[in-house]
Amino acid sequence: MKPAAFEYHAPRTLEEAVAVLARVAPEEGRVLAGGQTLVPAMALRLARPGHLVDINGVAGLDRIDVADGVVRIGACVRHAAVDAPGPMGRLMALMKRHIAHGPIRARGTFCGSLANADAASEWCLLAVAMDARVEVRSARGARILAVDDLLLGSMMTTLEPDEMIVAARIRLLPERARVGFHEFARRAGDFAQVMAVAVLGDDGPRLAIGSLEPRPRRLPEAEAALANDPVDLAAASRTAAAALLLPEEDAYLRALAETSVRRALEAAA
Amino acid sequence: MHDVTLCLNGDVHRIRVEARRTLLDAIREDCGATGTHAGCEHGVCGACTVLLDGEPVRSCLMFAVQADGRELRTVEGLAKDGVLHKLQQSFIDHHALQCGYCTPGFLMLAAGLIEADPDLSDAALIDGLSANLCRCTGYANIVAAVRAVLGRAPS
């Protein structure tokens, strides 16, 4: 199908972008960055925004900056371009090859994934695992949100209609940190059935899981189990799987989650 | 309506389109280049893959206004002076198509992959080609055709 008619805006500065967004927000105005979720939703008429504010022409939004141990990923940085120094960069590389396919990764954006808040988003999982923060702007001002305060549930965020994400900030990992990622999907590039991120050897173990619940989350019970000496990865994986809130008791998905967590932990160990 | 200039296979097209006009429809309907095929029209099948500034993208997932001033290549741009591009010839030689509907998308995807990395590994090639759907060939002959262009012996 063809998208419904809308009015197109192409601001050149951030100030202009948030001013236009403030004006069109009451008429279902939406931000267009990579468009790899929004445009199909429009083609299927699941989304019928009255206005699109295309931020691809806004100078500076495609930048990745590294300073003070933090990587700052601008709103128009494509999946394929996401990178960082050290173990964080290695973790990003492990994760991004699971995001759809090359032509999608050439257009879709990191911050767009956060704003879209799909339960199966690799970048939402990474952001949750690392307690990322997002810079949000509107014509009313700027605020910085912890990702836990951004993501409400599947495809739901706390962003107001006139707000846009300008950048995401993720703390870099020290060289001693070890990272692991594992994902089960029915086909290469398909949405994850379950995926897990493990970071060991940092300030404390981090273990987060995505796709099975409405939003990714860290698993404190399993992280605590990882603090035991000697570390029992299999036991921690069982603890992680047992902590999941599945819509119904689903032994298959719980087993899949346990295996995914164990493989992510083994990769990081 | 928006005035848009597309540079399609080296030719400049000045078109006037609604904002909702996808790049795919602009290429086909406004520029008359119907080699690029419309498949699912929501980014799943890859039949509409074109090269945007040298990079494979789904032309159904962009609006034509977003491609203003950009360099586009489609299947019509592959052959030169009546001689097929080596990928096109290899697809014929290896029976890498049956109905042919997905072929323009696969050719542009493969062209983008081998131009970006002429030494790409077999694993990277298969991963790259997995972006597009073909319901006839079972993919093996498509992989064989591209491998041959990379100068590799049949596996």
Side-chain angles (χ1 to χ4, degrees):
Chain A
M1 268 172 68
K2 312 296 180 189
F6 61 88
E7 208 173 305
Y8 177 79
H9 308 270
R12 309 304 294 187
T13 65
L14 195 52
E15 291 65 31
E16 212 186 312
V18 292
V20 176
L21 192 55
R23 189 157 53 76
V24 302
E27 299 164 42
E28 295 275 318
R30 299 284 296 273
V31 171
L32 174 64
Q36 303 298 286
T37 303
L38 178 58
V39 179
M42 290 172 67
L44 296 166
R45 303 272 175 127
L46 296 170
R48 297 181 71 141
H51 299 259
L52 287 187
V53 182
D54 183 352
I55 58 170
N56 286 283
V58 174
L61 290 185
D62 58 352
R63 285 179 52 150
I64 296 178
D65 296 298
V66 176
D68 304 324
V70 171
V71 58
R72 181 181 182 275
I73 299 169
C76 289
V77 173
R78 316 289 172 186
H79 300 311
V82 170
D83 197 9
M88 178 48 65
R90 292 200 287 281
L91 180 56
M92 288 168 164
L94 287 174
M95 297 180 80
K96 75 178 168 191
R97 63 187 194 84
H98 290 270
I99 302 172
H101 299 282
I104 304 292
R105 294 196 288 269
R107 296 288 306 162
T109 64
F110 185 98
C111 291
S113 285
L114 300 187
N116 188 52
D118 194 303
S121 156
E122 284 80 1
W123 295 144
C124 287
L125 174 64
L126 177 69
V128 165
M130 291 307 303
D131 296 315
R133 285 143 68 88
V134 291
E135 298 175 25
V136 172
R137 275 286 296 271
S138 72
R140 294 175 287 119
R143 58 180 182 138
I144 292 182
L145 275 177
V147 74
D148 271 330
D149 297 326
L150 171 76
L151 303 176
L152 281 177
S154 181
M155 321 289 276
M156 289 186 293
T157 70
T158 55
L159 289 176
E160 298 292 336
D162 66 339
E163 286 183 317
M164 61 173 274
I165 296 178
V166 174
R169 294 185 195 176
I170 303 176
R171 186 171 63 79
L172 294 177
L173 290 167
E175 216 35 76
R176 66 175 187 278
R178 302 181 311 277
V179 296
F181 175 70
H182 183 266
E183 174 171 325
F184 278 115
R186 288 188 179 88
R187 289 161 293 267
D190 206 340
F191 289 96
Q193 290 174 286
V194 58
M195 55 186 168
V197 160
V199 178
L200 302 176
D202 186 18
D203 53 0
R206 287 171 183 268
L207 180 64
I209 195 159
S211 247
L212 284 179
E213 294 180 339
R215 43 154 292 182
R217 68 177 171 112
R218 287 175 71 180
L219 297 163
E221 308 89 334
E223 288 177 351
L226 287 167
N228 294 341
D229 189 24
V231 177
D232 184 344
L233 298 184
S237 308
R238 278 194 299 278
T239 304
L244 289 173
L245 302 168
L246 296 176
E248 322 169 348
E249 190 45 46
D250 190 323
Y252 171 70
L253 287 179
R254 209 176 283 282
L256 214 56
E258 183 182 329
T259 304
S260 199
V261 167
R262 185 165 42 75
R263 290 184 185 172
L265 285 171
E266 285 167 356
Chain B
M1 299 293 273
H2 298 264
D3 291 310
V4 173
T5 303
L6 298 182
C7 186
L8 184 64
N9 302 316
D11 293 331
V12 173
H13 293 259
R14 291 192 173 81
I15 59 174
R16 203 170 163 76
V17 293
E18 276 187 275
R20 64 171 173 159
R21 190 68 137 177
T22 63
L23 178 58
L24 166 65
D25 284 343
I27 290 169
R28 288 177 57 84
E29 308 293 334
D30 300 291
C31 302
T34 53
T36 302
H37 288 172
C40 70
E41 298 191 290
H42 60 274
V44 173
C45 75
C48 68
T49 304
V50 301
L51 298 184
L52 174 75
D53 296 331
E55 200 166 26
V57 299
R58 308 269 208 248
S59 63
C60 72
L61 295 190
M62 275 186 77
F63 296 107
V65 284
Q66 296 185 280
D68 188 28
R70 309 285 288 271
E71 196 85 38
L72 294 164
R73 278 165 65 204
T74 64
V75 69
E76 289 91 342
L78 288 179
K80 294 276 181 262
D81 304 321
V83 180
L84 291 180
H85 185 279
K86 55 193 175 179
L87 274 169
Q88 291 172 305
Q89 189 59 53
S90 192
F91 267 54
I92 295 170
D93 296 343
H94 291 83
H95 196 70
L97 62 147
Q98 184 177 305
C99 84
Y101 201 85
C102 70
T103 308
F106 264 105
L107 286 168
M108 301 322 290
L109 177 66
L113 288 171
I114 66 177
E115 284 171 18
D117 181 7
D119 298 318
L120 89 167
S121 67
D122 283 350
L125 174 63
I126 289 167
D127 187 53
L129 291 176
S130 76
N132 286 17
L133 295 180
C134 170
R135 292 304 189 219
C136 301
T137 63
Y139 304 98
N141 289 354
I142 296 175
V143 174
V146 184
R147 286 185 82 249
V149 170
L150 291 167
R152 290 182 201 153
S155 53

